[in-house]
Amino acid sequence: MAVNIYDDINKLESTFRSTEEFGKLKQAVEAVTADSDSSQLFKNFRDLQITLQQKQAQGEEITEEEMVSAQETAQAAQADPKILAMLEAEMGLSQIIDEVNRVLIKPVQSLYESM
């Protein structure tokens, strides 16, 4: 009998969307989106993060000016109560994702531990 793991993954996705943690993040994202100042500040924060990650991935050096700008943008974003609530909600959701990853990797780990 063939196993279709994707059916289970789709069910897990549906369950994931039903969690309290996902609901909190959804509400927090909606609150940031509804506030043009918060939304623009977060967009700037996210764009800067992506730009710096791309530079690092390509082996380019990040300048002192870019680091200062990144720190200032991060501080401004975290000082915004709506963005802060969204980031905290995301951390709560990340804990669930981490736990799912731990559970999924257990069979692989046990194979190697048996060597």
Side-chain angles (χ1 to χ4, degrees), residues 51-71:
T51 299
L52 295 181
Q53 287 170 354
Q54 287 173 341
K55 282 187 81 167
Q56 281 184 319
Q58 295 169 356
E60 295 179 35
E61 194 168 320
I62 296 171
T63 67
E64 175 83 22
E65 183 180 308
E66 288 171 322
M67 285 301 294
V68 169
S69 177
Q71 289 171 344

Side-chain angles (χ1 to χ4, degrees), residues 3 5 8 10 15 20 34 38 42-43 46 59 63 65 70 72 77-78 82 86 93-95 97 100 107 110:
V3 175
I5 194 168
D8 292 334
N10 289 329
T15 302
E20 180 180 340
S38 295
F42 183 72
K43 183 182 181 322
R46 188 183 64 221
T63 67
E65 183 180 308
E72 289 172 352
Q78 291 172 354
K82 291 177 182 155
M86 185 177 67
L93 202 56
S94 290
Q95 290 175 343
I97 294 168
V100 168
S110 68

Side-chain angles (χ1 to χ4, degrees), residues 97-115:
I97 294 168
D98 289 346
E99 183 60 26
V100 168
N101 284 333
R102 275 194 293 278
V103 170
L104 290 176
I105 202 70
K106 273 184 187 179
V108 175
Q109 287 175 331
S110 68
L111 285 174
Y112 287 113
E113 289 170 359
S114 68
M115 293 176 72

